[in-house]
Amino acid sequence: MQRERISENVYWFQSDIYAQVTAGAVTGPHWAVLIDTLALPEETLAMRAFIEEQLGVPVRYIINTHYHADHAWGNGFFPGATVISHTLCRQLLEQRGPAALESARRQNAAFKQVKLILPHLTFEHGSLSLRVGKKNLVLFPTPGHSADGISVLVEEDRVLFAGDAFLPLPYFVDGDLDTLADTIRAIGKMGLENIVQGHGDIILRGEIDEAVRENLAYLSAVRKAVRAALKRRNPQEILDTIDIESCGKSHVYLGGLARELHRRNVRYLYRLLSREEGTPVSQSAPASD
């Protein structure tokens, strides 16, 4: 696991094991706030040990930026902590979490240690503030990657923990492309010093404008390419030619997973647009990934 001190009492962690997923911590004199929990128990426990033993404070609050396993399944490793999320995050974790965890346990024995803990404190609209030491954290919705997405702004430092609302490769299969584009635009206008992506490296102030433009260009390129495929007699064959590089991104992002995530984006959008336009999907493209 990689870790870095971003600013005074603000820390970043990145997995060496799964998709460069990230988490964060903001510490005060007596306790810490954890932002997301990483994917696998061994890294979650290593992060807890660093906060408790090296920084010398317990985790009192956990913020889940959304319900996906690599951001929320580690809640149970922090007994006594209050978990905060969007209202939909709690609902989705309760509805989809048990079956997903059971499936994960069959594939990886490490997940037998995991116990799903639902958020205790939720909000749906507006924002929620949390003070830790000298830092004021502002939680607010950033949907698009998923409907329950939230981000966390460290006001004093203008550091945004964006969750999966901002990624090296925008991914919207569990969300909505247009909503994600709106969220990315809004993030770009916040006057930030750093963006902590849900996966991948930290984006520095001088890199933010270009990262925003590149992500919006990718979403536009994918939409344009899929719409063009819809007009062809052989759309499934055309879909296979919409590679990640032609949409302005690199397959090497996220530990090499970017190409597969791009493929899922393309097929998800194709199914969605096909339904909107009344095209029979079953005749031209697979119904699932």
Side-chain angles (χ1 to χ4, degrees):
M1 180 179 65
Q2 307 296 314
R3 67 171 183 261
E4 182 177 326
R5 179 180 175 272
I6 301 175
S7 61
E8 183 182 8
N9 297 328
V10 180
Y11 298 86
W12 164 88
F13 307 89
Q14 184 187 72
S15 173
D16 284 331
I17 300 173
Y18 176 74
Q20 297 177 334
V21 64
T22 68
V26 182
T27 64
H30 305 297
W31 45 271
V33 176
L34 184 66
I35 304 166
D36 287 336
T37 62
L38 299 180
L40 293 169
E42 64 184 272
E43 290 188 314
T44 303
L45 292 169
M47 183 168 59
R48 187 182 76 179
F50 173 75
I51 296 168
E52 292 183 349
E53 297 170 15
Q54 295 194 41
L55 301 182
V57 288
V59 173
R60 179 175 291 183
Y61 294 96
I62 300 171
I63 299 168
N64 291 154
T65 62
H66 57 299
Y67 79 98
H68 291 165
D70 51 340
H71 296 265
W73 279 13
N75 292 346
F77 293 107
F78 300 87
T82 297
V83 182
I84 305 172
S85 77
H86 193 283
T87 303
L88 280 174
C89 176
R90 178 186 168 90
Q91 294 173 3
L92 290 165
L93 193 58
E94 183 174 26
Q95 293 167 4
R96 303 180 183 180
L101 178 56
E102 183 58 34
S103 176
R105 284 170 172 165
R106 288 195 294 269
Q107 299 176 49
N108 188 337
F111 286 106
K112 292 182 179 179
Q113 303 177 58
V114 172
K115 179 181 179 182
L116 293 181
I117 299 295
L118 300 180
H120 307 98
L121 176 62
T122 67
F123 72 105
E124 189 168 358
H125 304 291
S127 63
L128 181 69
S129 294
L130 180 63
R131 191 78 183 176
V132 51
K134 299 178 181 179
K135 309 291 187 180
N136 191 52
L137 310 185
V138 181
L139 291 61
F140 59 97
T142 48
H145 171 77
S146 56
D148 64 325
I150 65 172
S151 294
V152 182
L153 175 67
V154 185
E155 274 195 317
E156 291 76 8
D157 302 317
R158 306 306 298 171
V159 172
L160 184 71
F161 288 88
D164 286 1
F166 213 103
L167 296 171
L169 180 81
Y171 186 62
F172 51 85
V173 168
D174 195 24
D176 178 80
L177 185 153
D178 290 326
T179 303
L180 181 56
D182 288 343
T183 290
I184 291 170
R185 288 190 192 96
I187 289 173
K189 296 175 181 178
M190 289 180 65
L192 300 168
E193 287 292 321
N194 302 109
I195 297 175
V196 178
Q197 303 182 97
H199 297 251
D201 294 334
I202 299 169
I203 301 175
L204 306 178
R205 179 176 58 182
E207 303 168 337
I208 291 174
D209 288 348
E210 178 59 27
V212 168
R213 284 194 294 269
E214 188 178 284
N215 279 0
L216 292 175
Y218 169 79
L219 293 175
S220 178
V222 169
R223 187 204 306 275
K224 183 178 179 180
V226 172
R227 285 196 182 281
L230 274 168
K231 299 176 182 178
R232 302 290 291 271
R233 292 183 59 186
N234 55 341
Q236 185 173 351
E237 293 179 16
I238 301 301
L239 291 183
D240 291 338
T241 69
I242 306 173
D243 61 20
I244 189 170
E245 287 82 7
S246 69
C247 294
K249 289 289 188 177
S250 169
H251 70 276
V252 303
Y253 289 141
L254 305 177
L257 291 177
R259 179 177 282 133
E260 172 61 19
L261 297 180
H262 168 74
R263 186 188 72 84
R264 294 179 189 178
N265 277 341
V266 167
R267 279 158 175 73
Y268 170 79
L269 187 58
Y270 178 78
R271 292 194 298 272
L272 182 66
L273 295 178
S274 295
R275 288 196 297 270
E276 291 178 356
E277 299 186 13
T279 303
V281 177
S282 61
Q283 295 180 14
S284 55
S288 61
D289 293 308

